[in-house]
Structure formats: C-alpha cells, structure tokens
Amino acid sequence: MKPYLSYFKLRFMTCLQYRSAAIAGILTQVFFAFVYIMVYLAFYESGDANAPMTLKQVINYMWLNQMFFTLIYLSYKDKDIINLIKDGNISYELARPLNVYFMWFAKILSQRISMMLLRCIPVMVLAFVLPEPYKLMLPLNFSTFLLFLLSFCISAILITGITMLFHIITMFTLDEKGATSIIINIADIFSGQVIPLPFFPLFLQKVAILLPFRYISDFPFRIYTSHIVENEAIIGIIIQFVWLITILIGGYLLMNKALSKTIVQGG
C-alpha cells in the first residue's frame, strides 16, 4: 500500500503546479455555472409549477456540478497511459514491482483530486458570497452534509474505477476513441452532468436507475440539495457502494486478462 500512496502523493504534487490551467478552469466553471443558472431561471420564471426540483435545489446542483467538474467529468483520459498502451512502452510498467491496475488507479485519482482542489475552493467561495438567486446554500442540516460527503467520497473512487475501464478497453482495441467515446457520451447523459435526472422523461429515469452513472454526480448532489431525503440516501449509498465494489473487481479482473494478452508494439 505504501508505494501506491507515495505514487499518489507524487502525482498529486505534480498536478498542483499547473496554476495557470487552474485559473483558466476557474473562469470556465464560473462562466458555465452562470449560463446554466440563467437558463433555469428563465425556465422557472415561465411559471411552470410542476418542475421536479425547486429553483434553489437546481441552483445548488449547478454550482456543485461546476465546483467538482474536474473530478466527475467522464471524458477524462490520461494521455500518458494511452500513449504507453499504443506505443508499446507499457512493457516498462510491467517491469515495475507494482500492480499496474493500482498504480494507474492512484495516478488517475490523484490527478482528478488535485485538479478539483485548484478550482473548487475559489468557485465555492464565490458561490457562497453571491446575492440571491445565484447564491449557493448550505445543506439543511449536518446529517445531510455527512451523507453527501460519504456519497461523494464513494463517487470519487467510483468515477476513477469507471475511467480505468476506459483505459483497459483501449488495451484491447488500441484506440482510445471508438467504443469508449460511445460509452462516455451515454455516461455523461445518465450521470446528470448535462441535465439533472429528475427532469428526464420517466422511462429514461428508470433506465438511469439500472446504471451506475447516476451515482457519480446526480445522486450525491441531490442529497446535498435535500431532493433525496435521508432514508432514501442511506439506501442509495449502499447501492452506490455495491456498484463501486463491482466495478473495481471487474476492472481488476479485466486488467489481468488484458495484460495476459498484451502484445508490445513498436521498436
């Protein structure tokens, strides 16, 4: 475990150095937060009383989506890992006295967390000091916040496990686009990063319940907004944890299968 923690720390500190990219990311996240909020403001001001979430819940949801964007977005792919797979330098990874799956997992998770921290705190501070109706509100109570925190921590590991699957698929196809791009687009929709899932048609909500992607962002964010009550949140967190274990074990086994059939290309 210690080598993987050291590797995590090394990659984490490296990514924290990219401050200029973080500043650009902060401006981007704030811009899109305002765009999404203004769209929903116009929607609610149209007088639709049957909206599945309150305006304040939606505004909180939009801020959370942008604050944690670099941690939860699914289209992330590690270029270094992709290049290792495609040019044959994965052989160097196999020569290390470490498990490749856990090493790559630590790398991806550290990069996601470091990028999130550089952007999250400034965006959060801004969101809390803005006037109504743009202001980000705290959860209704401390227990709700704890449930959100637990769910979001599981979500961070879950998204890393799903990202690992994309890289493992590349080991079979030698193409980081194709099949993975299709899965990523589907996952983006059903994770609630485009539109909160309660706004989906009922039949698509039923589909989303059967997939793990809603537990990446939609589920923890709706706990924060209290759209999901505490009893439902506890049950959902159990299901979220089951999905996490399933994807981690499945990814680990698939990685072993991929490595057993690896053909090193290049010269």
Side-chain angles (χ1 to χ4, degrees):
M1 180 63 69
K2 187 175 180 180
Y4 303 109
L5 291 175
S6 299
Y7 191 70
F8 177 93
K9 182 179 179 181
L10 176 64
R11 299 302 307 182
F12 183 85
M13 297 304 296
T14 301
C15 292
L16 285 178
Q17 298 176 13
Y18 298 102
R19 294 181 179 86
S20 59
I23 294 173
I26 291 168
L27 296 176
T28 301
Q29 258 59 82
V30 171
F31 171 78
F32 277 103
F34 275 110
V35 169
Y36 279 114
I37 290 172
M38 285 188 287
V39 168
Y40 280 100
L41 281 172
F43 171 74
Y44 279 85
E45 287 175 359
S46 67
D48 189 348
N50 297 318
M53 298 174 68
T54 67
L55 177 59
K56 180 48 64 179
Q57 288 174 337
V58 172
I59 291 174
N60 285 347
Y61 188 105
M62 291 299 115
W63 276 119
L64 293 171
N65 228 337
Q66 295 305 316
M67 282 163 47
F68 301 117
F69 178 79
T70 51
L71 181 64
I72 63 174
Y73 81 109
L74 284 145
S75 57
Y76 170 84
K77 294 175 185 175
D78 189 288
K79 293 182 179 179
D80 293 336
I81 294 178
I82 296 296
N83 290 335
L84 286 174
I85 296 171
K86 297 176 71 172
D87 62 19
N89 285 331
I90 191 175
S91 57
Y92 294 110
E93 300 287 275
L94 297 175
R96 301 176 190 272
L98 296 173
N99 184 283
V100 177
Y101 181 86
F102 294 119
M103 186 168 59
W104 287 0
F105 193 98
K107 180 182 181 183
I108 292 172
L109 182 59
S110 65
Q111 289 177 335
R112 282 183 172 276
I113 292 177
S114 60
M115 290 189 296
M116 180 202 72
L117 289 177
L118 285 172
R119 302 185 186 193
C120 172
I121 296 176
V123 176
M124 181 188 302
V125 171
L126 174 63
F128 275 122
V129 300
L130 285 172
E132 294 288 353
Y134 298 94
K135 183 181 179 66
L136 172 66
M137 303 300 293
L138 290 170
L140 291 180
N141 51 60
F142 188 66
S143 59
T144 298
F145 175 75
L146 289 179
L147 288 172
F148 160 73
L149 193 61
L150 175 59
S151 177
F152 190 69
C153 289
I154 298 175
S155 170
I157 303 174
L158 177 63
I159 181 60
T160 307
I162 293 174
T163 304
M164 280 294 299
L165 288 176
F166 298 151
H167 291 79
I168 295 170
I169 291 173
T170 304
M171 296 177 68
F172 289 98
T173 63
L174 297 180
D175 180 18
E176 74 277 16
K177 301 175 182 177
T180 56
S181 295
I182 295 174
I183 298 172
I184 287 172
N185 289 329
I186 294 173
D188 273 336
I189 294 172
F190 286 103
S191 67
Q193 293 181 33
V194 179
I195 300 173
L197 294 187
F199 288 90
F200 279 32
L202 185 58
F203 77 95
L204 285 180
Q205 292 186 41
K206 293 180 179 179
V207 173
I209 292 175
L210 301 176
L211 300 173
F213 307 121
R214 69 182 291 256
Y215 296 102
I216 293 171
S217 57
D218 182 83
F219 177 72
F221 292 170
R222 286 201 286 138
I223 292 177
Y224 183 99
T225 64
S226 296
H227 187 261
I228 295 178
V229 297
E230 292 185 7
N231 290 337
E232 292 179 4
I234 293 172
I235 296 173
I237 288 173
I238 295 173
I239 299 173
Q240 184 184 29
F241 186 75
V242 171
W243 269 116
L244 172 64
I245 298 301
T246 302
I247 288 174
L248 291 182
I249 294 175
Y252 181 80
L253 296 176
L254 191 62
M255 169 69 90
N256 289 339
K257 183 176 181 179
L259 291 175
S260 68
K261 297 183 178 182
T262 297
I263 298 176
V264 178
Q265 300 192 38

